[in-house]
Amino acid sequence: MAEVIVIGGGLAGCATAYYLAKDGVDVVLLERGELNTQASGSNAGSLHAQIPHDPFVNKGPEWARRFAPSIQLMARSIEMWHQLPAELGVDLEVSTKGGLLVASSEQQLREVEAKARLEREHGLDVRLLDRREVRDLAPYLSDRVLGGAFCPIEGKASPLIATLAYANAAKRLGVSFRRHSPVLDIERGQGNYRVVLGEGSLVAPRVVNAAGADAGRIAAMLGIATDVQGFAIQVAVTEQTGPLIPHLVYSAGEKLTLKQNAIGSVLIGGGWPARWHGRGHPVTDPDSLAQNMALALQTVPALGPLRVIRTWAAVVNGTDDWRPILGEVPGAPGFFMNFFPWMGFTAGPLIARVIASLVQGKAVPLDVDYRPFLYR
């Protein structure tokens, strides 16, 4: 019998297990497959702090006001990302040379300006740029870019390294990892939970649901309804080239993100939909790839000579309202949710530290207000 069972072997689960073990808690982590093989290891590694532009425009001002408190969570988590290489003993390829949201029409510029006003109200450093300023900062951009907004704390880290660095650090602290252990059911008992596996079961007084896109299914085992969804999207990567794009680049008008990794390859994404294979896993969609590459070339013409060497599809974890689902579930004492939609890679370290503290009933050792997103 463990003190805490953590369900999910992605960034959220491995980081939560690490912080619990660091505090001296006996932890077992369950993963239905291999560690870091779902969204945590398949995303593009962006570190976001700005409010996402598409829902800001399409969901309206009330949504934006409700989402805005998460800015401080992401910004504080990015600070933690800088501290993690020393703490975990691994180079996570963290680089924050700034995020650049680019606009190609006057309407987009007005939307960028309105969003920046709200972001500044919540303490985020966002600088509006006109055509000349954006060209001075990012000469690799095409003439179709009329301006944008620059957030200096945004950047990137390696999704291939981060989760496993947390997992290895947690193992050194005594966490027991059980891979290929899908959860079949959860039964609530007197002061504990019995987690039913393919072979046997485990009992613990506290359970953390950090199962990503599978978190809704896990919660439903206890009759807990959530808005957890999984969306199939795809990313492409080019061959290596010399220094070209130092920033995390977003488009305010189209589905496009660009960044260059530590070895010189350019990652091209933006949320283009992948297809679902008949066997239930996502696969890349050639039509999405063609449109994504065309937009990338229109925005950064110097990408033209580069070859795309790999594409992949992944399931990103989301909710309709984009708000996190965090904390102890009312009516299910001892059962905790760790679910940060869409930008869980950015927020992963901070949210894991918050949940690890809440599980223990301790004060969270971070100067950040996470309370607007807890279960009520």
Side-chain angles (χ1 to χ4, degrees):
M1 178 171 174
E3 292 180 81
V4 179
I5 295 171
V6 175
I7 301 173
L11 179 63
C14 290
T16 301
Y18 166 77
Y19 290 119
L20 284 165
K22 187 179 178 182
D23 291 345
V25 178
D26 180 26
V27 181
V28 174
L29 183 144
L30 304 176
E31 164 55 41
R32 65 177 178 175
E34 292 288 346
L35 302 179
N36 203 40
T37 54
Q38 301 302 310
S40 294
S42 302
N43 71 88
S46 301
L47 299 179
H48 300 277
Q50 298 181 65
I51 297 173
H53 191 79
D54 182 75
F56 176 82
V57 173
N58 293 313
K59 291 184 177 293
E62 179 57 31
W63 174 88
R65 285 191 292 271
R66 293 183 70 238
F67 180 86
S70 67
I71 290 173
Q72 62 164 319
L73 300 185
M74 293 185 290
R76 182 65 181 86
S77 196
I78 291 173
E79 292 179 19
M80 291 181 67
W81 274 102
H82 283 284
Q83 300 160 4
L84 286 177
E87 181 171 352
L88 302 180
V90 179
D91 179 6
L92 304 180
E93 299 180 4
V94 178
S95 173
T96 51
K97 295 182 180 179
L100 183 57
L101 175 63
V102 298
S104 56
S105 73
E106 294 297 333
Q107 175 63 31
Q108 291 170 19
L109 283 174
R110 289 190 290 270
E111 294 164 354
V112 169
E113 183 177 1
K115 186 167 72 74
R117 283 197 298 270
L118 180 59
E119 290 163 339
R120 288 169 177 161
E121 290 175 8
H122 287 264
L124 189 63
D125 181 5
V126 180
R127 307 166 192 173
L128 293 173
L129 306 175
D130 61 21
R131 184 193 288 267
R132 179 187 60 79
E133 291 168 329
V134 79
R135 197 73 64 244
D136 289 343
L137 178 67
Y140 54 83
L141 293 172
S142 72
D143 291 339
R144 74 192 292 263
V145 175
L146 303 182
F150 180 69
C151 178
I153 70 169
E154 292 186 311
K156 57 199 174 188
S158 173
L160 300 178
I161 301 172
T163 296
L164 298 181
Y166 265 122
N168 290 331
K171 289 175 185 176
R172 293 193 293 269
L173 293 172
V175 174
S176 174
F177 284 77
R178 295 187 57 166
R179 299 172 299 159
H180 303 284
S181 296
V183 174
L184 304 182
D185 197 10
I186 304 176
E187 302 168 355
R188 184 176 170 187
Q190 291 294 324
N192 59 43
Y193 292 90
R194 179 178 298 277
V195 179
V196 181
L197 308 174
E199 296 182 1
S201 61
L202 294 174
V203 176
R206 286 158 292 176
V207 174
V208 177
N209 181 0
D214 207 31
R217 183 183 70 86
I218 298 296
M221 294 175 180
L222 291 169
I224 301 166
T226 66
D227 183 32
V228 170
Q229 301 173 56
F231 299 86
I233 63 170
Q234 61 190 58
V235 182
V237 63
T238 73
E239 62 186 322
Q240 297 176 29
T241 187
L244 176 61
I245 304 174
H247 310 110
L248 168 60
V249 179
Y250 313 82
S251 171
E254 301 94 3
K255 293 180 182 294
L256 179 66
T257 62
L258 297 165
K259 71 180 74 65
Q260 191 168 16
N261 64 19
I263 63 172
S265 296
V266 179
L267 282 80
I268 305 171
W272 281 90
R275 295 184 292 111
W276 287 102
H277 190 277
R279 295 183 177 179
H281 62 271
V283 294
T284 54
D285 184 324
D287 291 336
S288 288
L289 177 64
Q291 294 178 73
N292 198 186
M293 297 307 101
L295 283 171
L297 187 59
Q298 291 173 22
T299 305
V300 180
L303 293 173
L306 299 180
R307 294 173 298 174
V308 172
I309 60 172
R310 185 165 72 95
T311 66
W312 68 93
V315 178
V316 64
N317 312 320
T319 59
D320 282 335
D321 66 5
W322 288 64
R323 286 169 58 85
I325 304 172
L326 304 174
E328 189 172 27
V329 179
F335 187 83
F336 293 79
M337 293 287 295
N338 178 343
F339 186 86
F340 199 100
W342 303 107
M343 290 171 288
F345 186 74
T346 300
L350 179 134
I351 299 304
R353 179 62 269 183
V354 168
I355 297 299
S357 295
L358 296 178
V359 167
Q360 300 172 74
K362 293 182 176 180
V364 176
L366 299 170
D367 54 342
V368 65
D369 186 7
Y370 55 87
R371 293 170 297 176
F373 299 105
L374 293 182
Y375 270 106
R376 300 297 185 191

